[in-house]
């Protein structure tokens, strides 16, 4: 992958000199004031880790940003940001946001290991508090980051989906219900708080030091394919997400935006590029096994996550394209990075196996484990029908 282009700076005029009737110290002062006035003050929540940390560093290094205010429950590594340590659900955040022009809210917990009820309470309350606090503090723009998963993965989805397409996801996938509620809050906020602009950014399958049900799909010894399904894979590298968020911060684009690589990969292309063979199961068996394994606590992913590996949810990125944004990564490059990241990990039905489990089971044993779970579901159904 080619390295990012350096920032283009305006050429200097070597013949330019301070006006002779102006004192040098006055010139320097006015120049400093001009620099200080340039660009917005941006607050980033969830700034200590993940996408929040990457965006904080990116904005802090930008000549177009006046100041970065970093908010999290612990201090991150960006030394040039102004740090505030607090929970985003704390109403006191309004005081920390005072003076900011834009807030990027990235304090969203989609960790597979988090208790679902606690996760929802944190995500929804956090977004609600940030929107209310931003309005109270006089912030004029809030940028929220959800996921293209909110469009839903359905067999009749267009390829690609328009950014204005109806949000048809259900709350059955990991965190999808939380993201749908954040979307509803985003749409209500401008009506509740006139003058507050809300931009929503929806990335495709996010890759780059991430751990989700969809990235774990590629940790399996076999790629589970549901018979009769037609998945299509579109990825989004975290670097491209950060550059899209920066576009939103600088008001180069607004509204509801999708972000990801151009185009998509068919399942057969994914298998060829990854070198991982498929394991095909009937729909009823795959969904039944996934539901059963999740219900008894063996896997972190609910059955709803399986839909995103069955049907397309590829999105158009036309609004960002129209604003001049382009992804630096291709789907092929992101998939290669993902495979490199997950090398050595072993996952079955979303459950990551430890080193001992992986050694004992191996790829073949892991496949047998999933097939065995599917067989248990089949036997249970037959027994119910006979009864």
């Amino acid at each position: 992958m080619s390295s990012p282009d350096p920032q283009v700076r305006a050429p200097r005029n070597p013949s330019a000199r301070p006006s002779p009737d102006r004192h040098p110290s006055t010139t320097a002062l006015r120049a400093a004031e001009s620099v200080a006035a340039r660009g917005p003050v941006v607050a980033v929540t969830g700034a200590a880790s993940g996408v929040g940390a990457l965006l904080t560093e990116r904005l802090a290094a930008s000549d177009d940003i006046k100041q970065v205010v970093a908010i999290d429950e612990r201090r991150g590594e960006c030394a040039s940001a102004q740090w505030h340590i607090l929970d985003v659900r704390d109403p006191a955040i309004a005081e920390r946001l005072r003076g900011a022009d834009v807030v990027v809210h990235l304090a969203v917990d989609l960790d597979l290991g988090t208790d679902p009820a606690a996760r929802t309470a944190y995500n929804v309350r956090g977004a609600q508090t940030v929107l209310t606090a931003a309005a109270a503090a006089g912030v004029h723009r809030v940028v929220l980051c959800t996921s293209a998963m909110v469009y839903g993965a359905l067999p009749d989805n267009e390829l690609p989906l328009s950014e204005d397409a109806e949000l048809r996801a259900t709350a059955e996938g990991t965190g999808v219900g939380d993201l749908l509620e954040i979307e509803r809050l985003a749409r209500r906020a401008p009506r509740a708080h006139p003058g507050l602009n809300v931009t929503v950014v929806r990335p495709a399958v996010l890759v780059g030091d991430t751990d989700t049900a969809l990235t774990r799909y590629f940790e399996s010894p076999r790629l589970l394919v549901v018979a009769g399904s037609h998945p299509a894979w579109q990825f989004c590298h975290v670097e491209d997400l950060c550059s899209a968020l920066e576009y939103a911060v600088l008001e180069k684009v607004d509204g509801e935006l999708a972000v990801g690589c151009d185009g998509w990969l068919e399942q057969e292309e994914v298998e060829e590029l990854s070198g991982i063979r498929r394991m095909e199961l009937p729909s009823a068996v795959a969904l039944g096994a996934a539901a059963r394994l999740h219900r008894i606590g063996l896997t972190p992913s609910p059955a709803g996550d399986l839909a995103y590996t069955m049907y397309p949810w590829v999105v158009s990125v036309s609004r960002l394209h129209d604003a001049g944004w382009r992804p630096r990564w291709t789907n092929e490059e992101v998939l290669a990075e993902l495979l490199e990241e997950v090398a050595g990990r072993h996952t079955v039905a979303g459950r990551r196996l430890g080193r001992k489990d992986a050694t004992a089971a191996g790829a073949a044993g892991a496949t047998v484990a999933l097939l065995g779970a599917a067989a248990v579901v089949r036997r249970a159904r037959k027994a119910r029908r006979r009864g």
Side-chain angles (χ1 to χ4, degrees):
M1 190 196 70
S2 59
S3 59
D5 296 331
Q7 292 186 347
V8 178
R9 300 179 185 270
R12 295 180 178 179
N13 181 359
S15 64
R17 294 289 185 270
S19 173
D21 60 348
R22 183 177 296 166
H23 194 280
S25 61
T26 304
T27 303
L29 178 60
R30 291 184 178 179
E33 290 173 346
S34 175
V35 171
R38 184 178 65 243
V41 175
V42 184
V44 180
T45 69
S49 61
V51 177
L54 292 174
L55 182 65
T56 298
E57 291 283 359
R58 181 186 182 97
L59 295 179
S62 172
D63 291 337
D64 296 320
I65 304 299
K66 179 179 178 181
Q67 175 67 48
V68 178
V69 177
I71 299 173
D72 210 319
E73 294 179 56
R74 64 178 179 84
R75 186 182 179 87
E77 297 181 1
C78 184
S80 56
Q82 178 184 344
W83 284 91
H84 295 296
I85 312 303
L86 81 164
D87 189 315
V88 291
R89 295 169 294 180
D90 187 341
I93 194 173
E95 284 303 313
R96 307 299 189 271
L97 297 180
R98 202 166 299 281
D101 301 296
V102 185
V103 175
V104 184
H105 178 53
L106 296 173
V108 178
D109 180 8
L110 296 177
D111 193 298
L112 292 172
T114 303
D115 173 73
R119 181 191 65 217
T120 296
Y122 177 81
N123 290 339
V124 175
R125 182 61 177 170
Q128 189 175 47
T129 302
V130 167
L131 286 166
T132 302
V139 174
H140 77 270
R141 176 181 293 260
V142 173
V143 180
L144 300 174
C145 185
T146 61
S147 167
M149 294 175 76
V150 296
Y151 290 106
L154 300 161
D156 62 343
N157 275 347
E158 294 183 355
L159 274 171
L161 288 163
S162 163
E163 288 161 306
D164 290 326
E166 181 184 356
L167 305 187
R168 298 198 290 163
T170 64
E172 296 175 357
T174 303
V176 177
D178 300 355
L179 299 179
L180 287 170
E181 184 57 33
I182 291 172
E183 293 269 354
R184 283 190 282 270
L185 291 170
R187 291 185 176 184
R188 289 200 296 263
R191 296 195 297 270
H193 309 290
L196 182 65
N197 179 295
V198 179
T199 298
V200 180
V201 180
R202 301 165 180 156
V205 180
L206 195 59
V207 174
D209 197 24
T210 57
D211 178 25
T212 68
L214 293 168
T215 59
R216 287 193 183 190
Y217 177 80
F218 294 92
E219 298 178 14
S220 300
R222 297 287 184 269
L223 297 179
L224 174 62
V225 176
V226 175
S229 67
H230 300 284
W233 292 90
Q234 180 187 31
F235 300 99
C236 177
H237 196 277
V238 291
E239 290 178 359
D240 283 337
L241 174 57
C242 286
S243 68
L245 290 169
E246 185 176 13
Y247 260 62
V249 164
L250 296 174
E251 301 187 22
K252 296 180 179 180
V253 65
D254 61 10
E256 297 171 344
L257 319 167
V259 56
C261 300
D262 292 330
W264 63 89
L265 298 174
E266 302 288 351
Q267 181 70 24
E268 292 75 15
E269 294 177 285
V270 167
E271 292 170 18
E272 182 179 354
L273 289 167
S274 67
I276 307 175
R277 294 163 53 190
R278 70 166 58 193
M279 179 179 67
E280 193 163 313
L281 291 176
S283 174
V285 172
L287 290 169
R292 171 67 174 167
L293 291 171
H294 182 65
R295 189 165 56 250
I296 63 179
L298 289 181
T299 64
S301 302
D305 283 340
L306 200 55
Y308 293 93
T309 70
M310 294 171 61
Y311 304 118
W313 48 291
V314 173
V315 288
S316 165
V317 294
S318 59
R319 286 181 180 151
L320 279 164
H321 272 231
D322 290 346
W325 178 91
R326 294 293 184 274
R328 296 195 182 280
W329 293 73
T330 66
N331 282 303
E332 291 84 353
E333 289 170 337
V334 180
L335 176 58
E337 169 133 329
L338 172 57
L339 294 171
E340 186 176 336
E341 283 185 6
V342 304
R345 299 176 187 168
H346 303 275
T347 293
V348 177
R351 181 190 181 192
R352 186 172 288 159
L353 303 178
R355 187 183 299 273
K356 291 182 180 179
D357 295 327
T359 303
T367 303
V368 170
L370 180 56
L371 290 171
V376 168
V377 174
R378 286 199 302 270
R379 286 198 297 271
R381 286 183 172 175
K382 288 180 181 177
R384 284 199 299 272
R385 285 197 293 269
R386 286 197 298 268

